[in-house]
Amino acid sequence: MEYNKAELSACTSILVGKKATIDGSTMIGRNEDSQASWPKHFVVHPHTEHTTEQTFVSSANGFKMPLPKLQFKYTATPEWTTKEGLFEEDGFNEFGVAMSATESAYANETVLGADPLVEDGIGEEAMVTVVLPYVKTAREGVARLGSIIEEYGTCETNGILFSDADEVWYMETSTGHYWVAQRIPDDSYAVVANQLAIQAIDFNDSDNFMFAPQIIDFVQSNHLNPNPATFNFRKIFGTQTLSDEHYSTPRVWWGQQQFSGATNESPMSEDLDFIKKANRLLSVDDVKMYLSSHFEKTPYDPMNESEQNHLFRPISLAKTQESHILQHRPNMNPAVACVQWIAMGVSAQSVYVPFYLGIDATPKAYQIGTLPYDGESAYWAYKLVSVLVDGHYKEFGKQLQTTQKQVNITLNKGLRDADKRAENLTGPELTAFLTKTGEELADEALTAYRKLTADIITASTDFSKLNFKTDLNL
C-alpha cells in the first residue's frame, strides 16, 4: 500500500499549564489524524547504554544523524510498519518529559521562497525517536530539536508539544531552518489545529520564548515582516486562506468556546488568540472531551442532518489513528505521576486507557495489528466498533455512549485505586504492579468493547434488505 503520511497528517492539539488544571497537572494531548485504516502500536523502549555511538537513518526520506550512546527509557506509539518510517508520535521518557509530534501546519510561499524546506531534513517521522530519549526537561527537548533543525533542516512545517512536571511548551517549525517556541503560561491553555499558531514573540523573554538564533536577521534581510513594529510569527510565516477558515480555525474556535465561554467570534476568524485562560479549572476529562468532540449541539456536527453539518472539519474524525493525553500529576513519584492516556482509533468512539510511565511492557493487544483487519489487536477492536456504529448510529449510538460511560468509570476508579496501592511500593515491585495495572485496565476496556461488538452484530442481523414480511399463512 502506497502511503505518504507527511501529505495526509492533519491533527488537533491541546496544551494546559499546571495552574489551569484542577489537580495541578500539566497536560498535552493530540489526535493523530492520518488515514482511516492504519494501525498503531504502543511500546516501551528500555533504558539502553550502547558501547558505540548510534546512527539514526530515516526510511521515510533518508534523514540521518548520530545519536548518543545513552538512551533513556521512553514510551511511544509507532506505526504498524516501518516501511514509511517510525512515526513514534508521543510518549514519556524516564525523567517524566512528555513529547507529542507533530501538529502539521503550513508556511506561506514567501517565507518558503527565502528558506525552502529540506527534502532530507528531519520530519515528523523521526522527531520523537531522536529527541525524547535524550532530554531531561521539556525545555531541553525544545533546545535539542531546535539545534537539529538548524543543522540538518526540516522537511515539513510542524508544531511540537513538550511538557514536564513544571512547564508546557509549544514549538513550531516554519521554513527549512527556522523555528520558535513559546511556554504556555501556567494559568492558561492553547488549542491548535493545522495552522502556525504562535503570535507575538518577545525576544528578551528567555523564560517564555525560544527561537532559532538568526530568525530576526532572516526576517529583516528578506523583508518578510508586514508590521515591523512587532514580530508576529503567525502573520509572518503562516497562512490565511479560505481552506484555513473551513479546516483549521473552527476547531480552535470550538475549543475556546468550550473552555473560555461563548463569544461572538466567528468559527472562521483568522484572529483567534493562541493563549487563552479558561473560565474554570480544567481536568483530564475536559481534555478528553475536546479531543473527542465534533461540534456537538451546533449545526456543524457531522452527526446531525443540518445543511451545515460538513461545513467545518471536526476535531474527532474517522482518520484518527490514535489519540493521546500525556498527564504529569504533581507531588508523586514520576513512575506513578506520569499517565499516558491512549484511545486507539476514533477518539469520539473509543475510550482513553491510562498507562503509567513506570511500566516495563505494554499489553500484547497494543503491540500487534497490521493490514488487513485482525481480531486481536487493540487498534482493530476499537476501530471495528466505529465501523459498526457508523452504519446505524441511530440504533447503536446510545449503546456506544453507555459503554463508554461505564468503561470510563471503571478506568478512573482503577487508576485511583492503583495510585493508593502504589504509594507503598518501590523498585521492581512497583514496576511489576504498574505494568499489571496497565494490562488489567486495558483488558477491562477491550472486554467491554468486544462485548459491544458482539451485541451490535447480533442486533444487526435483521437489517438486511433481503428481508420480507412473511405471510401469516406460511
Side-chain angles (χ1 to χ4, degrees):
M1 175 183 252
E2 293 299 322
Y3 176 50
N4 186 336
K5 180 156 183 166
E7 294 179 358
L8 297 172
S9 292
C11 307
T12 307
S13 298
I14 180 169
L15 309 94
V16 191
K18 61 186 179 183
K19 292 183 180 179
T21 61
I22 201 165
D23 61 353
S25 293
T26 59
M27 289 187 284
I28 58 175
R30 181 171 60 91
N31 287 350
E32 183 187 356
D33 301 336
S34 183
Q35 188 161 301
S37 293
W38 203 255
K40 296 294 293 187
H41 296 170
F42 174 45
V43 300
V44 179
H45 296 289
H47 179 108
T48 306
E49 298 184 20
H50 299 281
T51 56
T52 59
E53 188 176 73
Q54 303 297 292
T55 300
F56 176 86
V57 182
S58 170
S59 59
N61 68 340
F63 166 68
K64 181 179 180 180
M65 68 169 289
L67 297 175
K69 296 178 183 178
L70 177 59
Q71 173 189 292
F72 304 142
K73 169 192 168 182
Y74 72 106
T75 58
T77 58
E79 308 282 70
W80 68 276
T81 173
T82 60
K83 181 180 178 182
E84 298 294 336
L86 292 174
F87 291 97
E88 293 204 295
E89 295 298 311
D90 61 280
F92 277 108
N93 72 16
E94 64 187 78
F95 291 96
V97 179
M99 180 179 179
S100 178
T102 67
E103 177 72 34
S104 299
Y106 305 91
N108 63 64
E109 293 89 341
T110 302
V111 294
L112 288 172
D115 179 37
L117 297 172
V118 179
E119 186 174 348
D120 62 350
I122 190 171
E124 173 181 351
E125 179 267 338
M127 286 183 180
V128 166
T129 309
V130 303
V131 173
L132 186 57
Y134 308 105
V135 297
K136 295 183 178 181
T137 66
R139 190 181 291 261
E140 281 186 22
V142 174
R144 176 171 172 81
L145 182 54
S147 66
I148 293 171
I149 291 167
E150 292 161 28
E151 180 174 355
Y152 298 96
T154 181
C155 60
E156 300 160 349
T157 300
N158 281 315
I160 304 94
L161 298 71
F162 292 94
S163 64
D164 53 31
D166 296 315
E167 297 188 335
V168 177
W169 283 85
Y170 190 62
M171 177 182 186
E172 292 187 321
T173 67
S174 52
T175 60
H177 300 86
Y178 291 96
W179 60 274
V180 298
Q182 182 172 357
R183 183 178 184 270
I184 307 301
D186 290 344
D187 63 355
S188 302
Y189 74 93
V191 287
V192 190
N194 299 132
Q195 285 179 298
L196 291 179
I198 296 176
Q199 296 172 311
I201 306 294
D202 185 345
F203 293 101
N204 296 314
D205 184 2
S206 60
D207 289 337
N208 296 296
F209 293 93
M210 300 173 70
F211 43 85
Q214 304 302 319
I215 194 169
I216 297 176
D217 291 340
F218 168 73
V219 169
Q220 290 178 343
S221 62
N222 287 284
H223 310 290
L224 300 174
N225 192 348
N227 297 292
T230 64
F231 194 102
N232 187 309
F233 184 75
R234 182 196 296 177
K235 298 292 186 184
I236 298 169
F237 288 87
T239 59
Q240 291 187 337
T241 66
L242 186 60
S243 174
D244 291 324
E245 293 169 1
H246 284 270
Y247 196 80
S248 301
T249 63
R251 286 177 276 156
V252 176
W253 168 85
W254 173 254
Q256 294 181 357
Q257 296 285 303
Q258 297 304 301
F259 298 143
S260 299
T263 68
N264 292 324
E265 292 172 301
S266 166
M268 301 173 70
S269 172
E270 292 284 1
D271 296 314
L272 298 173
D273 292 333
F274 170 47
I275 302 295
K276 295 287 287 185
K277 290 186 179 181
N279 58 14
R280 62 188 185 280
L281 294 175
L282 301 179
S283 70
V284 68
D285 288 330
D286 287 310
V287 178
K288 293 177 190 176
M289 177 278 293
Y290 176 67
L291 293 176
S292 303
S293 64
H294 40 87
F295 305 120
E296 290 90 337
K297 299 181 181 179
T298 76
Y300 315 126
D301 187 350
M303 303 304 292
N304 67 34
E305 297 179 0
S306 163
E307 292 182 359
Q308 297 178 299
N309 65 355
H310 284 90
L311 183 62
F312 302 136
R313 189 269 210 204
I315 290 91
S316 178
L317 77 173
K319 293 186 183 297
T320 304
Q321 294 175 269
E322 57 83 25
S323 179
H324 53 268
I325 301 166
L326 302 167
Q327 180 185 18
H328 198 307
R329 303 176 296 173
N331 306 316
M332 302 172 77
N333 176 346
V336 180
C338 300
V339 179
Q340 187 167 357
W341 299 84
I342 298 178
M344 285 292 186
V346 181
S347 49
Q349 298 163 331
S350 184
V351 287
Y352 288 86
V353 178
F355 295 94
Y356 288 104
L357 166 61
I359 62 176
D360 62 3
T362 59
K364 183 179 178 182
Y366 283 78
Q367 300 177 37
I368 59 175
T370 63
L371 290 180
Y373 164 84
D374 71 74
E376 299 299 323
S377 75
Y379 171 86
W380 281 116
Y382 292 106
K383 197 70 179 178
L384 178 56
V385 167
S386 293
V387 172
L388 295 173
V389 171
D390 281 343
H392 297 280
Y393 193 79
K394 288 183 179 179
E395 290 82 3
F396 301 124
K398 189 155 286 188
Q399 192 172 350
L400 168 63
Q401 292 167 7
T402 298
T403 298
Q404 288 177 308
K405 180 179 179 179
Q406 292 171 343
V407 172
N408 285 331
I409 291 171
T410 298
L411 296 178
N412 287 340
K413 182 179 184 303
L415 189 68
R416 287 179 179 272
D417 291 345
D419 284 348
K420 293 176 182 177
R421 291 182 60 188
E423 290 177 356
N424 299 317
L425 303 176
T426 58
E429 190 177 11
L430 176 61
T431 301
F433 171 71
L434 298 180
T435 302
K436 183 180 179 183
T437 297
E439 292 171 348
E440 291 175 345
L441 295 180
D443 186 62
E444 289 269 9
L446 284 171
T447 298
Y449 263 67
R450 287 179 170 136
K451 181 182 183 302
L452 176 61
T453 296
D455 291 344
I456 292 174
I457 290 175
T458 302
S460 298
T461 55
D462 204 34
F463 288 164
S464 173
K465 292 185 178 181
L466 292 176
N467 271 339
F468 195 85
K469 187 175 182 180
T470 303
D471 190 310
L472 293 177
N473 296 318
L474 295 180

